[in-house]
Amino acid sequence: MKDQMNGLTKSGKIIIYLYMLFTCLVSVFPILWIFLSSLKADPMKNPGLSLPTELSFDGYIKVFTELHVLDYFWNSFKVVSISVFISIIMISMSSYVIARMEFRGKKLITMMLYSTLFIPATAMTFPVYRLVNVLGIYNTPLALMFVYSCSGIAMSFFIIRNYFAIIPKDLEEAAEIDGASYPQIFWKIMLPIARPGILTAAILSFINNWNEFYWASMLVINPKELTVPALLAQFTTDFNTNYNGLFSAIVVIILPPILLFTFASKYFIEALGGGAVKG
């Protein structure tokens, strides 16, 4: 990246820096706006990106003391972690087969996996709701695990498959000569090499499922099993909305994904750069 920047003209560098600055401002603006609003006693009286005239931490206090946000955090972490683990294992195996092997119907299967990207959640409402009831897992964490394990398949498949595809075939051929079976090649050789791509897909899936509200509010109504997004509904009634508490809850909810992405950013860079595969 540094070498590429050195090859640009001065005007080109200025344009790139201005674009990056604009992108940062657009990304940070909503987070900063929500954070400042959470510190205002009544955000509607002093709306917008402005400093609070008087600091108010009532929303944060209510989130941790009255609503017990840590219980919601545990419910979300339990559901999301298990579903991501199941999903990534299945997608990693299917991605390896499609990326490294030739068989009849390969293009059709690939197309079907990618097509899930264009199916909105609302179109699946009735079939999923009925299936969850038939399986007897409605209003349990298993319902969300079942749905989340099958969600976001296209994006995870795209990332992991592309990473498997760039790994040199010499590694597989050398392992086959040494007598390794396909499962051994996958688990002991291919999977560790593709770790950056797999972790990138897992983190993106974790963040998407952590913030998911549609299925979380529909399939689970037991207050003891509600996930983090359902916490937001606690601040809205038919007659009033507690915006101070709502914004405070949003700040608390978005912190784990931000911290997760911050600590795992090196895997994103490595995955986008194609990894460090040496022949």
Side-chain angles (χ1 to χ4, degrees), residues 57-76:
F57 298 97
D58 293 341
Y60 291 101
I61 294 173
K62 182 177 181 180
V63 166
F64 283 97
T65 58
E66 297 183 22
L67 296 179
H68 305 289
V69 68
L70 295 181
D71 293 338
Y72 291 88
F73 268 55
W74 168 245
N75 292 337
S76 287

Side-chain angles (χ1 to χ4, degrees), residues 233-242:
Q234 306 295 320
F235 297 94
T236 303
T237 65
D238 294 335
F239 306 101
N240 186 32
T241 299
N242 181 3

Side-chain angles (χ1 to χ4, degrees), residues 26-244:
V26 171
S27 302
V28 173
F29 175 80
I31 299 176
L32 183 60
W33 181 78
I34 291 173
F35 175 70
L36 291 176
S37 298
S38 69
L39 299 176
K40 301 174 183 177
D42 188 355
M44 295 298 101
K45 288 185 178 180
N46 186 22
L49 192 64
S50 59
L51 295 175
T53 56
E54 183 179 354
L55 292 178
S56 175
F57 298 97
D58 293 341
Y60 291 101
I61 294 173
K62 182 177 181 180
V63 166
F64 283 97
T65 58
E66 297 183 22
L67 296 179
H68 305 289
V69 68
L70 295 181
D71 293 338
Y72 291 88
F73 268 55
W74 168 245
N75 292 337
S76 287
F77 181 79
K78 175 179 61 178
V79 169
V80 173
S81 298
I82 295 176
S83 60
V84 168
F85 178 79
I86 296 173
S87 175
I88 292 300
I89 290 296
M90 293 190 301
I91 296 173
S92 295
M93 291 190 289
S94 60
S95 299
Y96 170 69
V97 171
I98 292 176
R100 311 298 292 188
M101 302 179 184
E102 296 296 331
F103 55 91
R104 185 176 299 177
K106 175 179 176 179
K107 292 183 178 179
L108 177 62
I109 295 176
T110 303
M111 182 182 65
M112 292 175 64
L113 288 171
Y114 281 138
S115 67
T116 59
L117 183 65
F118 308 103
I119 303 176
T122 51
M124 301 296 295
T125 300
F126 179 74
V128 171
Y129 184 81
R130 180 170 176 78
L131 179 60
V132 166
N133 277 275
V134 171
L135 294 175
I137 58 176
Y138 176 73
N139 199 25
T140 67
L142 291 176
L144 291 180
M145 293 178 191
F146 174 75
V147 173
Y148 290 166
S149 297
C150 304
S151 300
I153 291 178
M155 184 57 66
S156 298
F157 174 76
F158 175 79
I159 295 172
I160 299 175
R161 175 187 177 275
N162 288 349
Y163 211 95
F164 275 132
I166 66 173
I167 298 177
K169 289 186 177 294
D170 296 343
L171 296 174
E172 286 179 291
E173 293 173 355
E176 289 177 4
I177 292 174
D178 291 338
S181 61
Y182 280 120
Q184 289 175 327
I185 294 173
F186 173 74
W187 290 106
K188 296 183 179 181
I189 299 175
M190 304 300 288
L191 205 63
I193 294 176
R195 183 183 61 178
I198 293 173
L199 288 177
T200 298
I203 292 169
L204 289 175
S205 180
F206 185 95
I207 293 174
N208 289 334
N209 292 340
W210 181 273
N211 296 324
E212 199 280 325
F213 178 77
Y214 185 75
W215 296 116
S217 61
M218 178 182 300
L219 300 180
V220 177
I221 59 176
N222 183 358
K224 295 183 179 180
E225 299 294 346
L226 293 178
T227 56
V228 165
L231 175 66
L232 302 179
Q234 306 295 320
F235 297 94
T236 303
T237 65
D238 294 335
F239 306 101
N240 186 32
T241 299
N242 181 3
Y243 288 102
N244 175 257

